[in-house]
Amino acid sequence: MFRDACPLVVTPAQLQVMRDGAKSAKSPELVVLDASWHMPNSPRNADQDFKRIHIPQARFLNIDRVASFHPLGLPHMMPDAAMFREFCGQMRITPSTHVVLYDTHGVFSSPRALYMFRAFGHTRSSILDGGLPGWLAHGQEYERGEPERIEESRYPLPQLDEQAVKDYDQIVANVERDPAKDPDAFYVLDARSSERFLGTSPEPRPGLSSGHMPHSISLPFSHFIESHTIPDDIAAKYTKELPATYTRLRSNQSLLSALDESLGPERAKEVLDGKRQVVASCGSGMTAGVIWLGLKMLGVEQVGIYDESWTGYAMRVGSKIEKVDLL
């Protein structure tokens, strides 16, 4: 259905070249989407931020709205094929469109959006490394206000890669299997902080237990990204729109080191050699996308995401939860 795949990550300079090469600002060959998302306890509003400042001709992807209904009320669940098709049509995305996604943190929620496109087979998709802050730090243009109305396009009904999304039943079945003894069990990599994983710090969602699934492995998403400071002359122009720092994806060598440190050399080699399937999880399925992206950058093919992640798992009565023994 689609042309050849595009790189997973592009730089601000590369995106500018692509923009210059597009036939027009409204060309369906390139569509830039702001996929920003903030934690529930954040005072920021991604939709309002977009209206204040965004990359020229960008459109806004509300990850919480392009999402399937969940009986537990969980946000940003993977949309069904019809919903994804409708959104792409509204954004004037065609199967040949190169979609570039970014967020206002740098690298935070855009990997989750990229995961969605890739899971539906739209391999002509990338994230912008450094996001909007990285774009502005490189002296690139911006615009404010609502984007112009565009003519919708037709998008064929895609097929979801079922291996890319794991549900609760699959996770529970895997919890009962010890990966050290069962080569068919998959590794669950938990992207939350180590304190939440161990159960020594509370979850940001009130009433939700911290801790972790049996046999899961702690790999905080922060280990896959690095912080950069916005130059003073740039920051002075955007004091209301941007934080002082932003994040970028680490180098492949740093990603390898983080993976090796968390999994250990033997398990890391299993993953890199494709001998063991990996499933990323986090608080609600958002920053698990960073783990997914990092592993994809390392050439790991068998990477899925537990869509509900810890929120869906811990909300259910009977889910097995482990915590560190402080006594």
Side-chain angles (χ1 to χ4, degrees):
M1 179 186 291
F2 302 99
R3 293 185 193 172
D4 294 338
C6 292
L8 291 160
V9 178
V10 298
T11 66
Q14 289 171 327
L15 177 57
Q16 185 56 54
V17 170
M18 287 187 281
R19 282 171 43 80
D20 292 341
K23 294 180 180 179
S24 72
K26 299 179 181 180
S27 170
E29 296 179 1
L30 173 67
V31 170
V32 180
L33 297 177
D34 183 329
S36 298
W37 179 87
H38 303 300
M39 291 290 290
N41 56 358
S42 171
R44 296 179 63 185
N45 181 289
D47 183 61
Q48 293 177 3
D49 287 349
F50 175 80
K51 294 173 183 177
R52 279 195 287 267
I53 185 169
H54 55 264
I55 293 175
Q57 286 86 50
R59 307 283 159 178
F60 184 64
L61 163 57
N62 189 319
I63 299 177
D64 283 335
R65 291 181 183 172
V66 185
S68 295
F69 168 80
H70 193 281
L72 294 179
L74 303 181
H76 47 258
M77 295 294 96
M78 181 68 77
D80 61 26
M83 184 179 292
F84 181 78
R85 175 179 63 179
E86 180 181 9
F87 170 77
C88 288
Q90 292 171 348
M91 295 294 105
R92 206 185 179 190
I93 295 170
T94 70
S96 62
T97 300
H98 185 177
V99 178
V100 177
L101 303 132
Y102 74 87
D103 64 64
T104 54
H105 294 275
V107 174
F108 182 66
S109 56
S110 55
R112 167 70 194 205
L114 178 64
Y115 158 77
M116 176 179 72
F117 273 86
R118 295 275 174 144
F120 277 112
H122 195 109
T123 55
R124 292 189 59 76
S125 52
S126 314
I127 72 156
L128 175 63
D129 199 15
L132 179 62
W135 174 262
L136 297 176
H138 281 77
Q140 304 290 6
E141 298 177 319
Y142 67 90
E143 67 181 14
R144 304 182 187 275
E146 296 275 7
E148 295 182 12
R149 299 182 67 88
I150 56 174
E151 181 181 350
E152 295 186 10
S153 64
R154 289 186 177 183
Y155 195 94
L157 188 68
Q159 183 173 352
L160 177 66
D161 177 6
E162 299 294 341
Q163 295 300 313
V165 187
K166 299 298 181 184
D167 60 24
Y168 179 73
D169 290 338
Q170 291 170 306
I171 291 295
V172 169
N174 194 71
V175 163
E176 300 299 328
R177 305 161 71 179
D178 184 352
K181 301 176 182 178
D182 187 345
D184 293 325
F186 50 79
Y187 291 142
V188 176
L189 304 185
D190 194 320
R192 295 173 301 151
S193 69
S194 58
E195 293 80 10
R196 290 166 62 188
F197 178 88
L198 295 173
T200 57
S201 291
E203 289 293 307
R205 296 165 181 83
L208 192 69
S209 172
S210 57
H212 60 271
M213 308 166 201
H215 309 303
S216 58
I217 304 166
S218 178
L219 177 54
F221 80 95
S222 58
H223 292 186
F224 272 13
I225 56 177
E226 59 188 13
S227 180
H228 289 257
T229 302
I230 298 176
D232 292 341
D233 59 329
I234 299 294
K237 299 178 182 179
Y238 310 109
T239 52
K240 294 182 179 180
E241 290 93 353
L242 298 175
T245 61
Y246 65 100
T247 55
R248 292 179 57 188
L249 194 67
R250 290 187 182 274
S251 68
N252 278 13
Q253 186 57 52
S254 294
L255 295 176
L256 280 170
S257 297
L259 185 67
D260 191 76
E261 181 180 348
S262 295
L263 275 68
E266 185 175 334
R267 292 187 297 188
K269 188 175 188 306
E270 274 190 289
V271 171
L272 294 170
D273 290 346
K275 295 180 179 179
R276 182 78 69 157
Q277 186 179 9
V278 179
V279 174
S281 180
C282 60
S284 65
M286 186 62 67
T287 56
V290 178
I291 301 299
W292 171 87
L293 175 60
L295 293 176
K296 286 292 186 180
M297 291 292 289
L298 295 177
V300 180
E301 292 296 329
Q302 299 185 74
V303 188
I305 288 182
Y306 174 29
D307 207 19
E308 300 177 346
S309 282
W310 184 251
T311 301
Y313 183 83
M315 283 180 68
R316 289 184 167 88
V317 176
S319 295
K320 294 182 179 180
I321 296 176
E322 293 183 349
K323 299 186 180 185
V324 66
D325 186 356
L326 298 177
L327 299 178

